[in-house]
Amino acid sequence: MKWYTCTPVSFKGDHTFFSRDSGAFCKAFQRIGVKSRAIMPTPAQEGDDPDLIRTEYANLKDAAWWKSLGIDGVILYAWGVGKYLPIARAIHDAGIFLVVYMDSSGLFFPWQYWLPIAKNMYTKDVFIHGKIKGSAFFLLRLLKQHTWNLASRGRRKHLDSGDMVAFPIPAALQSVADREWLYGKSIVRKLALVPNPISSTCRFAGEKRNIIMAVGRWDDLLYKRPCLLMSTLEQALAHAPHWEAEIYGNIPDFLREWHDNLPEPLRTRIHLAGYIPNIELQKKQSQARISLCTSLSEGTHLASAEALCAGASVVGPRLTPQLNCLQWYVSHDSGTLSPNDSPESLSGALLEEIRAWDSGKRNPEEISRYWCSLLHAENSCKRIIAAYEAAQGGKTGL
């Protein structure tokens, strides 16, 4: 059996690509004994992994080229975008089992949550372009969303080209299923839960310490919200002297300045760990008890998912719909969400989760067991193959 993955954008093809998304699915197929490679368009880039196939973009739209690969299935990471419909159709026309993978929360504007999503769009445009230009960008985008995007059927046709339409969280599946009138029965019946791929090396290793982890691109002021991170940790740790925090990812100057100016009892318990390789980060997650998310919005928050597999719990704001993945992540006695995203509210949720650990209400072995069964990429690959075999009318063998 041969299963490939495809991303129709020329990203870097090194180890960082193969540690997440379609690259991670490729490696997971290999680990369960299925021949697999990843496909991206040219040009080739320095450090490309040998398991990556670079090809001319025109080939991706050619059914004959796909058929020449002699493969059974493809996971297409193309976000359901209409401009990639010719690629989805070419794979389908080649007789290859197609999994259309929607790395998305499933909240497609303007069909639902109009006000909060519109506010999010406005905040982003003003943040990037300033008040006057940003407001103009927002109004133009709003006009496009309510005219051209409503009339376009590109996304629906893209999804309908697949034999399976996979979303990473239950709320995304439900979002589409509840709108059968919009997407159609043929798409709704193909829906499947396939979480973002987490490596099987990410698991609980038997040791936990009173550590809160935060992982992110901390120069992203709008979405990762480092200011909220700083205020939350400062307020919470003042009331939890037996706990420490470790901040991973890029460390901007303003974060260092904040840290330098903390009172000494806090400064010694908040560590700016910076960037470390993912395999080392997994070891740190296995030791931590809590993963803190301060994001404004996430389709699926990978740092939280990895922490759950490592037996840690999740704390974040209960922002609906922008962070609906977190509501799933805390559903198995595995975390606490704050009512809103103020530092006072989020630090309160963090202290509540600390009390849960201190009082023995959190079980890292059970958290890890449950979420590994759902989130590990190998398990998702096995479920995809089972669906393929069912569609073929029986077992085909690996």
Side-chain angles (χ1 to χ4, degrees), residues 78-152:
W79 311 280
V81 176
K83 72 176 181 178
Y84 299 127
L85 172 61
I87 299 175
R89 280 183 166 165
I91 297 170
H92 178 272
D93 292 345
I96 297 168
F97 191 92
L98 174 60
V99 178
V100 173
Y101 195 86
M102 297 295 292
D103 186 12
S104 162
S105 62
L107 306 176
F108 299 123
F109 190 76
W111 299 110
Q112 59 196 127
Y113 295 109
W114 191 94
L115 185 59
I117 296 178
K119 284 182 176 179
N120 196 32
M121 291 165 54
Y122 176 77
T123 300
K124 178 181 179 181
D125 287 337
V126 169
F127 182 85
I128 294 174
H129 302 289
K131 187 69 177 286
I132 296 175
K133 286 186 177 180
S135 297
F137 269 91
F138 168 70
L139 291 174
L140 288 173
R141 199 142 63 103
L142 209 59
L143 178 63
K144 181 182 178 182
Q145 293 280 5
H146 287 77
T147 53
W148 170 254
N149 283 10
L150 283 182
S152 173

Side-chain angles (χ1 to χ4, degrees), residues 266-278:
L266 279 179
R267 189 172 61 253
T268 58
R269 292 188 291 121
I270 298 177
H271 310 284
L272 303 183
Y275 175 82
I276 61 174
N278 190 256

Side-chain angles (χ1 to χ4, degrees), residues 227-262:
C227 293
L228 178 58
L229 172 74
M230 293 185 288
S231 297
T232 298
L233 289 177
E234 196 169 346
Q235 292 185 34
L237 288 181
H239 300 282
H242 54 302
W243 281 70
E244 299 182 0
E246 297 177 353
I247 300 174
Y248 292 90
N250 59 327
I251 308 294
D253 289 342
F254 67 83
L255 203 55
R256 296 186 187 278
E257 183 178 351
W258 162 77
H259 186 262
D260 289 342
N261 291 322
L262 286 171

Side-chain angles (χ1 to χ4, degrees), residues 202-310:
C202 192
R203 59 178 64 248
F204 177 52
E207 178 190 358
K208 285 293 180 188
R209 295 166 51 201
N210 289 344
I211 294 174
I212 301 158
M213 280 187 67
V215 183
R217 302 184 310 274
W218 300 116
D219 56 353
D220 187 344
L221 299 177
L222 176 61
Y223 282 106
K224 300 304 179 182
R225 302 195 293 184
C227 293
L228 178 58
L229 172 74
M230 293 185 288
S231 297
T232 298
L233 289 177
E234 196 169 346
Q235 292 185 34
L237 288 181
H239 300 282
H242 54 302
W243 281 70
E244 299 182 0
E246 297 177 353
I247 300 174
Y248 292 90
N250 59 327
I251 308 294
D253 289 342
F254 67 83
L255 203 55
R256 296 186 187 278
E257 183 178 351
W258 162 77
H259 186 262
D260 289 342
N261 291 322
L262 286 171
E264 194 272 340
L266 279 179
R267 189 172 61 253
T268 58
R269 292 188 291 121
I270 298 177
H271 310 284
L272 303 183
Y275 175 82
I276 61 174
N278 190 256
I279 192 67
E280 295 300 318
L281 185 64
Q282 291 177 16
K283 295 177 183 177
K284 299 296 184 180
Q285 287 168 325
S286 182
Q287 295 174 356
R289 285 196 161 101
I290 297 174
S291 176
L292 175 62
C293 173
T294 58
S295 297
L296 176 65
S297 65
E298 297 281 356
T300 55
H301 190 236
L302 288 180
S304 292
E306 289 177 340
L308 290 169
C309 290

Side-chain angles (χ1 to χ4, degrees), residues 6-163:
C6 176
T7 301
V9 179
S10 185
F11 295 123
K12 289 183 66 174
D14 61 7
H15 67 95
T16 60
F17 172 79
F18 282 91
S19 68
R20 57 183 294 167
D21 301 335
S22 61
F25 274 124
C26 169
K27 295 296 186 181
F29 275 123
Q30 293 175 358
R31 286 193 291 271
I32 63 171
V34 175
K35 294 180 181 178
S36 186
R37 298 184 74 183
I39 298 171
M40 278 197 290
T42 53
Q45 299 189 32
E46 184 179 355
D48 277 354
D49 189 285
D51 286 328
L52 177 63
I53 297 173
R54 294 281 191 182
T55 189
E56 296 296 325
Y57 190 85
N59 285 336
L60 301 181
K61 299 185 289 183
D62 184 354
W65 182 83
W66 283 102
K67 197 172 185 66
S68 71
L69 297 176
I71 59 180
D72 298 284
V74 171
I75 298 179
L76 177 62
Y77 249 81
W79 311 280
V81 176
K83 72 176 181 178
Y84 299 127
L85 172 61
I87 299 175
R89 280 183 166 165
I91 297 170
H92 178 272
D93 292 345
I96 297 168
F97 191 92
L98 174 60
V99 178
V100 173
Y101 195 86
M102 297 295 292
D103 186 12
S104 162
S105 62
L107 306 176
F108 299 123
F109 190 76
W111 299 110
Q112 59 196 127
Y113 295 109
W114 191 94
L115 185 59
I117 296 178
K119 284 182 176 179
N120 196 32
M121 291 165 54
Y122 176 77
T123 300
K124 178 181 179 181
D125 287 337
V126 169
F127 182 85
I128 294 174
H129 302 289
K131 187 69 177 286
I132 296 175
K133 286 186 177 180
S135 297
F137 269 91
F138 168 70
L139 291 174
L140 288 173
R141 199 142 63 103
L142 209 59
L143 178 63
K144 181 182 178 182
Q145 293 280 5
H146 287 77
T147 53
W148 170 254
N149 283 10
L150 283 182
S152 173
R153 298 180 60 204
R155 177 180 285 123
R156 279 167 282 181
K157 290 179 180 178
H158 186 142
L159 299 184
D160 208 20
S161 298
D163 298 284

